[in-house]
Amino acid sequence: MMSELICQYCSHRNVGGAISRCTHCGAPLRAAAHKAAAAVEPTAHVVEKTVEKTAGVAETAVKVVAGLPPWKWRVFGVLIAVVVLFGVVVARSCSPSIPSLFAVPQQSAVSALPEALRSAASCVQLNTTEMVQKCVIGASHPLLAGGISGGKELTFHAEVSLPASLSDTIRRWRAGGATVLTDGPVFAAIGPSASAWYADTRSGLRLETGSFSGKAAAQTFLTRAGLVR
């Protein structure tokens, strides 16, 4: 018992079993140190057991999941796919206007031209961001016979526009002082500089030419090209 009252740091011998610290240096006595260790040991043991139990539960869960038969995994995958598909359908049904806002016309401007005009013109796409075709008809082509283009080749631009854009273009043409030839599903007019303006709201085709020798010449071209009757 006396050895338990010897200071573990300065080896000072203390008298009195109730003393827990050295009266010389204040360090814990060996008896107190043993008690502290005894108090810590059960706590460490509890922590260790808790970790072991947690690991055991996790291992059991992994075994259960891994042990599921393949058909259950397939059923689970089908359910997930159905939930995802349902979410996509609901999102689309709630936003019916989104596709129409960003839709890109599928028909090209050249294919939308009447046959007579398509065969007479040589067209190239101006750029990749705007689907605008620049087309040229040679000065000697029968569509320009009679000098309706002043003896020069005729350039026109064509594109297939979305309905909203085409409506804005027609409003702008009307406001620009056009001489309207036909106004309905097909809009055709002669501009102030004797250029031909054409829009078909059914196909989305919009066409605007260079200047002719006069308004009568521009109207003649529209008729010859099969744009108006």
Side-chain angles (χ1 to χ4, degrees):
M1 292 295 298
M2 294 301 296
S3 61
E4 293 182 348
L5 299 178
I6 297 176
C7 178
Q8 59 181 326
Y9 292 108
C10 67
S11 300
H12 178 77
R13 185 176 298 274
N14 291 269
V15 180
I19 300 175
S20 62
R21 290 189 173 273
C22 178
T23 57
H24 179 69
C25 69
L29 299 177
R30 288 182 183 177
H34 290 327
K35 290 180 181 179
V40 171
E41 183 177 357
T43 303
H45 181 70
V46 171
V47 172
E48 182 180 358
K49 290 297 183 181
T50 302
V51 172
E52 289 179 357
K53 288 182 179 180
T54 304
V57 171
E59 183 178 359
T60 301
V62 171
K63 288 180 179 179
V64 169
V65 173
L68 288 177
W71 69 269
K72 287 190 177 181
W73 281 109
R74 287 194 290 269
V75 171
F76 182 73
V78 170
L79 290 175
I80 292 297
V82 169
V83 170
V84 172
L85 180 61
F86 179 75
V88 172
V89 171
V90 170
R92 288 195 171 189
S93 64
C94 292
S95 305
S97 62
I98 292 178
S100 61
L101 290 176
F102 300 99
V104 177
Q106 298 299 313
Q107 186 180 26
S108 69
V110 173
S111 63
L113 295 174
E115 174 59 30
L117 188 56
R118 184 168 62 249
S119 61
S122 175
C123 301
V124 294
Q125 186 171 313
L126 287 182
N127 52 56
T128 56
T129 56
E130 297 181 7
M131 305 298 288
V132 179
Q133 298 281 339
K134 178 182 179 181
C135 303
V136 178
I137 301 175
S140 61
H141 196 277
L143 282 181
L144 304 180
I148 63 173
S149 63
K152 302 177 293 184
E153 64 181 20
L154 177 71
T155 300
F156 67 89
H157 295 84
E159 69 173 311
V160 176
S161 303
L162 295 173
S165 177
L166 198 59
S167 298
D168 289 341
T169 298
I170 293 173
R171 282 194 293 269
R172 176 171 54 83
W173 284 347
R174 287 197 185 100
T179 301
V180 179
L181 303 178
T182 178
D183 193 354
V186 171
F187 178 88
I190 310 300
S193 61
S195 57
W197 296 341
Y198 174 88
D200 188 339
T201 58
R202 298 163 301 184
S203 65
L205 176 64
R206 181 185 70 84
L207 185 147
E208 190 169 353
T209 72
S211 298
F212 289 90
S213 58
K215 291 185 177 182
Q219 185 172 352
T220 298
F221 170 79
L222 288 171
T223 304
R224 287 179 182 174
L227 295 170
V228 297
R229 295 188 178 129

